[in-house]
Amino acid sequence: MNILYFDDDCIICNRFAKIITALDRKDAIRFSSIKELEGMVPEDIDSVVYYSDDMYIHSDAVIEVAADATGFRPVRLLKAIPVCWRNALYRLIARNRYRLNDRMSCTIDPDVRKKIIS
């Protein structure tokens, strides 16, 4: 089972989950709160984790879930970009994600909510 763990309190993460839901034509990806992984992953991983055949974090998680959702495997060519650059961008967005959405309250999209497992 492919599971995308995301920060369900974050508008950016919720929008990402909504995009993945729209792209997931095969209905293969499920969702869960990142809080479910508390104690199993380092504390600095607090926005997105993707579990499919392995556990992916940071920019690898974004690339893998995008490849699995779209079925477009060449998305993985983004891994040719040095991981330090990819993860620096990822951490910049993750670290500022609440500031970017002004801590607005958010709700989980109904299509995403249907695919949440606990």
Side-chain angles (χ1 to χ4, degrees), residues 8 42 44 63 66 68 87 98 101 106 110:
D8 51 353
D44 67 330
I63 292 169
D68 288 349
N87 284 344
Y98 289 116
N101 61 31
C106 68

Side-chain angles (χ1 to χ4, degrees), residues 1 3-9 30-43 45-51 55 108 113 115-118:
M1 180 178 292
I3 304 171
L4 178 65
Y5 295 91
F6 70 106
D7 180 1
D8 51 353
D9 294 329
R30 296 293 175 255
F31 300 91
S32 187
S33 173
I34 192 74
K35 296 169 195 143
E36 298 289 328
L37 296 178
E38 199 168 285
M40 290 187 272
V41 295
E43 288 183 28
I45 301 170
D46 65 348
S47 52
V48 175
V49 172
Y50 182 56
Y51 177 80
M55 186 169 284
I108 297 174
R113 187 172 300 281
K115 297 174 94 177
I116 289 181
I117 61 171
S118 293

Side-chain angles (χ1 to χ4, degrees), residues 38-103:
E38 199 168 285
M40 290 187 272
V41 295
E43 288 183 28
D44 67 330
I45 301 170
D46 65 348
S47 52
V48 175
V49 172
Y50 182 56
Y51 177 80
S52 60
D53 59 339
D54 199 359
M55 186 169 284
Y56 299 96
I57 58 173
H58 300 298
S59 62
D60 285 337
V62 174
I63 292 169
E64 288 294 327
V65 74
D68 288 349
T70 61
F72 188 66
R73 304 290 182 232
V75 169
R76 289 188 175 101
L77 291 174
L78 291 172
K79 288 186 176 185
I81 299 170
V83 71
C84 60
W85 296 353
R86 289 187 285 120
N87 284 344
L89 177 61
Y90 175 89
R91 283 191 297 272
L92 177 71
I93 293 168
R95 199 173 36 244
N96 294 298
R97 68 186 187 276
Y98 289 116
R99 191 175 342 166
L100 293 171
N101 61 31
D102 296 323
R103 292 198 180 262

